[in-house]
Amino acid sequence: MVVGSRFLDFLVAAVLACAALVPAAAPAEAAGQVCVLACDTLDPSLARQESFPVPDKNLNGRRLELHVSDADDMAWASIDEGVTGDSVWLDRSWDGGATWEGLLGKASIPGTWTGTRTLMYNVTDPRGHRRGLVRACGDAAAVGCTDWTYPTVCDVLCDRTDAARAAGDDQPVPSTTLYGRTIRLHFDQRNAMAWASVESGAGGDEIWLDRSWDGGSTWPDGSSLGRTAVPGGATGTRTVMYATRDPRGLLYGGAVRACGRAAGHQEGSCTTWARPAPTRPRAAADALMSAYDPYNGWWPSSWWNSAATLTALVDFAGTTGTHDYDWVVARTYAQNKGVFAAGVRSSDAIEGHFISRSIDDSGWWAIAWIDAYDYTGDSRYLDEAVTIAGYIQQYWDPGTCGGGVWWDRERTYKNAVTNGQYLWLATALHQRLPGDTVWLQRARTAAAWYRSSGLIGSSGLVNDGLTASCANNGGTVWSYNQGLAIGAFTELWRTTGDDSLLTTARTLADAALSSPALTRDGVLTESCDLGTASCDDNQKQFKGVFMRNFADLARATGSAAYRSYVQKQADTLWAQDRSALNSLGERWAGAPPNQTDWRTQAGALAALTAAAG
């Protein structure tokens, strides 16, 4: 069959016209489901907000709209004033719009209707450390899309702010050199902004920033930010500033590096990655939040550690007045108050209300919810703490060793951590429940038992627990056991005015400061911090518990020695145990081998918060 040239010309013109209407870049591979505060494909009727951050698109007379709920971190698309068969969908890009997942939630206008909408999809993915862009697209005898939403990151200041507006110029990492050029990374620490500069260069040299949301492992949406060339006749230049936090997208702790290229050469050079430190505690908190899983509402994968970490985060917020992470409290509660099979949250089954066979695990959550109640005033958190404490109370057993709470449901061990928690909780509930007498009496009984139980050794150090014959077992002196006892006796003294309780707290504190079992060269040190030893996931967080409770005693007494000790820990770990990414390890004196993860980060945050308070 022979086709006439005029018809061929028509076909070519039609193809080119259609191509001009289709976005230029190729779609990325099929989308995987993203879960943030909810999972992709949530119905828009459940959206908590609705905004229109980009202009509508007129598509052959149809109105194409992008809808966003910042409260849900989700978006959906709609098409109106259309006809049967018109369709609408979302595109989502993880690399600044270069490629995208296309046709998300594609929906077509059914017969007799004039419009339709998609389901909702997440805009960003903090769980996967990815910042996304979305746009609404439609097909109504032609394909068209709205602009991408939120291409600019905004915190205190927004991307592309002039560096002349910086509140200070700090250079957190060494510069790098390239063919005689010097490339520097600069921070406005107060506003968590960054820029790059090049010196001793020539016209045509280029400078830029890379930005990563996963500590420098990837940077698909943050490559070559602010790329700037040195003008002819000049020897240097700088970029504009870029933000390192995206609160709207629930992305905190962004890392940046400065990179450059010399004119006439293809290769470039970059500084190391770094994160800003607006304040010590906020720097620690931002880095800690990069490990939080907002969908499941915890720090995977440790159950009690997540409770203690939430406590550290709430203490930070309450002490510094920083409200960036207030949503984490409600999210953690909502996602974890139910029932979980063994292996999902813990090796034990979670039976609802944060309760399991491990009595001390339950206790950590009760402490966290009391702290959350104090911070938010939301009574559901206090109610939760009462429920958990009531469960723990069932395991107070005067029939063995004259009293004390069992460590587990099987009643195999009476130890310091569970009983330190119980004394603190009983006192805290009395302080917060109007007209209470029951919990006060329980606290008095628990304090008397603790002091006579043998848990406190002759040197004033708390050993791990009791033997089957109810004697001190000589077990390891862990900082969290010492700290819980200090905090519990301090709180009960505040409530009762019984000076003997404060004397006990001070005796425990003085022993911790003077004994090499807990303090070496003035620095809080676990036995697993020594030599080539390593701490397990539980032990990594013990020192943070100590610092929270020790700082309470320092405030109660006004002791200069205690305050000095608190400050010493913060100064030491900041100077010797911090990376350029504000990662904080287990060994606060910084000696290798040092372990670093979100548990050690939370422990260090507690120390920095204590000093800030």
Side-chain angles (χ1 to χ4, degrees), residues 349-437:
I350 307 303
E351 300 160 5
H353 295 288
F354 305 88
I355 288 169
S356 69
R357 58 166 289 280
S358 299
I359 311 304
D360 61 331
D361 283 8
S362 306
W364 292 118
W365 283 105
I367 291 170
W369 297 128
I370 285 177
D371 216 34
Y373 168 72
D374 289 347
Y375 178 61
T376 66
D378 190 332
S379 61
R380 63 179 171 164
Y381 301 134
L382 181 58
D383 293 343
E384 197 68 55
V386 170
T387 297
I388 299 169
Y391 167 71
I392 295 171
Q393 169 64 29
Q394 297 175 46
Y395 294 91
W396 174 271
D397 182 7
T400 301
C401 303
V405 178
W406 290 102
W407 174 60
D408 56 8
R409 189 175 288 167
E410 294 76 17
R411 301 177 182 245
T412 63
Y413 187 34
K414 288 195 173 177
N415 65 349
V417 60
T418 314
N419 284 283
Q421 289 175 332
Y422 178 75
L423 175 54
W424 190 93
L425 282 169
T427 304
L429 289 179
H430 167 71
Q431 292 169 338
R432 291 158 180 80
L433 297 174
D436 169 75
T437 58

Side-chain angles (χ1 to χ4, degrees), residues 46-222:
L46 300 175
R48 289 182 288 169
Q49 291 178 341
E50 183 177 21
S51 64
F52 304 92
V54 299
D56 301 348
K57 175 76 173 180
N58 185 311
L59 185 61
N60 287 332
R62 286 74 160 174
R63 187 174 76 253
L64 188 64
E65 289 183 302
L66 179 66
H67 310 248
V68 174
S69 171
D70 287 335
D72 301 295
D73 199 28
M74 302 187 86
W76 67 101
S78 68
I79 189 168
D80 290 292
E81 301 169 12
V83 299
T84 302
D86 290 348
S87 60
V88 63
W89 63 88
L90 286 172
D91 287 343
R92 180 170 60 194
S93 175
W94 302 113
D95 56 11
T99 62
W100 58 86
E101 303 164 337
L103 305 179
L104 299 181
K106 184 176 181 179
S108 297
I109 298 177
T112 73
W113 291 26
T114 59
T116 191
R117 66 186 182 186
T118 69
L119 297 174
M120 293 200 292
Y121 285 78
N122 282 288
V123 178
T124 60
D125 181 19
R127 188 185 189 191
H129 309 292
R130 301 184 294 176
R131 184 176 192 273
L133 304 176
V134 295
R135 63 183 178 186
C137 295
D139 185 351
V143 174
C145 299
T146 67
D147 294 335
W148 294 104
T149 190
Y150 302 143
T152 299
V153 179
C154 288
D155 186 16
V156 180
L157 301 173
C158 291
D159 285 350
R160 294 187 289 277
T161 297
D162 194 318
R165 293 183 57 190
D169 180 356
D170 187 54
Q171 297 174 32
V173 294
S175 60
T176 185
T177 58
L178 180 68
Y179 296 107
R181 283 78 167 166
T182 299
I183 297 165
R184 301 184 189 277
L185 176 65
H186 305 257
F187 277 162
D188 168 357
Q189 298 280 23
R190 187 176 74 188
N191 295 310
M193 301 291 288
W195 72 98
S197 70
V198 61
E199 303 166 10
S200 304
D205 291 349
E206 292 182 311
I207 187 74
W208 66 88
L209 283 175
D210 289 338
R211 177 171 59 198
S212 170
W213 301 108
D214 57 9
S217 295
T218 62
W219 53 100
D221 74 309

Side-chain angles (χ1 to χ4, degrees), residues 202-280:
D205 291 349
E206 292 182 311
I207 187 74
W208 66 88
L209 283 175
D210 289 338
R211 177 171 59 198
S212 170
W213 301 108
D214 57 9
S217 295
T218 62
W219 53 100
D221 74 309
S223 180
S224 298
L225 298 178
R227 197 175 189 115
T228 303
V230 176
T235 60
T237 191
R238 68 186 181 191
T239 67
V240 291
M241 294 196 293
Y242 284 80
T244 61
R245 294 159 35 93
D246 180 16
R248 177 188 281 124
L250 306 183
L251 287 160
Y252 309 92
V256 291
R257 66 180 183 181
C259 300
R261 184 186 68 83
H265 298 273
Q266 292 302 311
E267 67 270 27
S269 183
C270 299
T271 66
T272 57
W273 293 94
R275 288 178 173 130
T279 66
R280 290 177 175 183

